[in-house]
Amino acid sequence: EIVLTQSPDFQSVTPKEKVTITCRASQSIGSSLHWYQQKPDQSPKLLIKYASQSISGVPSRFSGSGSGTDFTLTINSLEAEDAATYYCHQSSSLPITFGPGTKVDIK
Amino acid sequence: QVQLQESGPGLVKPSGTLSLTCAVSGDSISSSNWWSWVRQPPGKGLEWIGEIYHSGITNYNPSLKSRVTISVDKSKNQFSLRLSSVTAADTAVYYCARGTLGSAYGSGSLDYWGQGTPVTVSS
């Protein structure tokens, strides 16, 4: 099973600040890494697919990069509505696994 | 617009069987997508349960495989989850989701999700 680790676990950020969340896989997964945003009492929402591919309707301040074992989700100029928990997810091999999540709070 | 809606009992007795259905609208269950179940225990992260392709091919999480069955009903455009011998550890919000075609053996990204349905295991 591929284990995904995320850092940091928690981040408190001021609006307009840049946020960087990393996801590391226990073995190479190519670019089969996807990012989700989950706000309280809501279902997860796909933000980025295949490491860096943008999703229609998702603000351009969200971007992704990386390949192999190390991946990054970047939120440029954080807005108050971005307060949420962010999860990475790998589909390279079964079983599908998710990272433990990174909670982003607004100062 | 693709929509998924979970339904089923919100309370299941220990050792019983949890049964949920996901109704799909805006897409055909026979399209080139996978249909997945994901759960989230209270205050915790996401756990993949399994997925099904319209042909009947299934993939399950090994940690749950002995207790899980996912099936598809093409006539009703829906798919279902059965989880047997439940315990309190199975208490969670259960989500259904659409998985894009990732590879020959499974899904890629999960692009549409249901709103989730809470299930409590308690006597």
Side-chain angles (χ1 to χ4, degrees):
Chain A
E1 174 177 317
I2 294 175
V3 177
L4 298 178
T5 55
Q6 290 182 234
S7 61
D9 298 330
F10 175 82
Q11 193 166 11
S12 186
V13 188
T14 56
K16 297 188 179 181
E17 197 173 334
K18 179 180 177 179
V19 174
T20 301
I21 299 170
T22 64
C23 178
R24 176 164 290 176
S26 58
Q27 62 191 75
S28 179
I29 57 172
S31 61
S32 297
L33 190 285
H34 320 289
W35 291 98
Y36 302 84
Q37 175 194 65
Q38 187 179 34
K39 296 181 179 180
D41 298 320
Q42 293 186 19
S43 54
K45 172 187 174 183
L46 179 64
L47 289 180
I48 299 288
K49 64 179 181 179
Y50 292 103
S52 62
Q53 295 181 21
S54 59
I55 303 297
S56 175
V58 174
S60 58
R61 63 182 180 274
F62 291 93
S63 63
S65 63
S67 66
T69 60
D70 294 310
F71 302 86
T72 300
L73 174 69
T74 300
I75 311 174
N76 282 301
S77 192
L78 185 84
E79 296 190 6
E81 66 182 28
D82 299 334
T85 300
Y86 294 84
Y87 294 94
C88 56
H89 149 226
Q90 70 80 22
S91 61
S92 175
S93 67
L94 297 171
I96 287 169
T97 50
F98 290 89
T102 294
K103 186 173 182 178
V104 174
D105 183 52
I106 308 299
K107 284 183 183 177
Chain B
Q1 176 71 356
V2 178
Q3 292 185 316
L4 295 89
Q5 179 66 59
E6 306 91 347
S7 62
L11 181 64
V12 182
K13 287 183 167 42
S15 78
T17 297
L18 180 159
S19 295
L20 298 174
T21 296
C22 181
V24 179
S25 59
D27 189 14
S28 170
I29 204 84
S30 297
S31 65
S32 299
N33 293 293
W34 288 80
W35 304 97
S36 304
W37 288 98
V38 176
R39 70 180 182 180
Q40 185 170 36
K44 296 188 177 181
L46 302 168
E47 180 183 27
W48 178 72
I49 299 170
E51 61 189 8
I52 190 166
Y53 197 67
H54 63 80
S55 61
I57 298 172
T58 53
N59 295 316
Y60 296 135
N61 190 325
S63 67
L64 299 168
K65 187 174 183 177
S66 63
R67 300 193 290 130
V68 172
T69 302
I70 297 175
S71 59
V72 66
D73 186 335
K74 295 179 185 179
S75 66
K76 295 182 179 179
N77 213 46
Q78 63 186 32
F79 62 109
S80 299
L81 168 70
R82 285 175 57 87
L83 181 66
S84 63
S85 304
V86 297
T87 69
D90 295 309
T91 293
V93 174
Y94 285 75
Y95 296 100
C96 58
R98 189 181 81 167
T100 59
L101 196 61
S103 68
Y105 58 81
S107 64
S109 57
L110 301 173
D111 59 354
Y112 290 95
W113 294 66
Q115 65 185 29
T117 188
V119 176
T120 300
V121 178
S122 175
S123 55

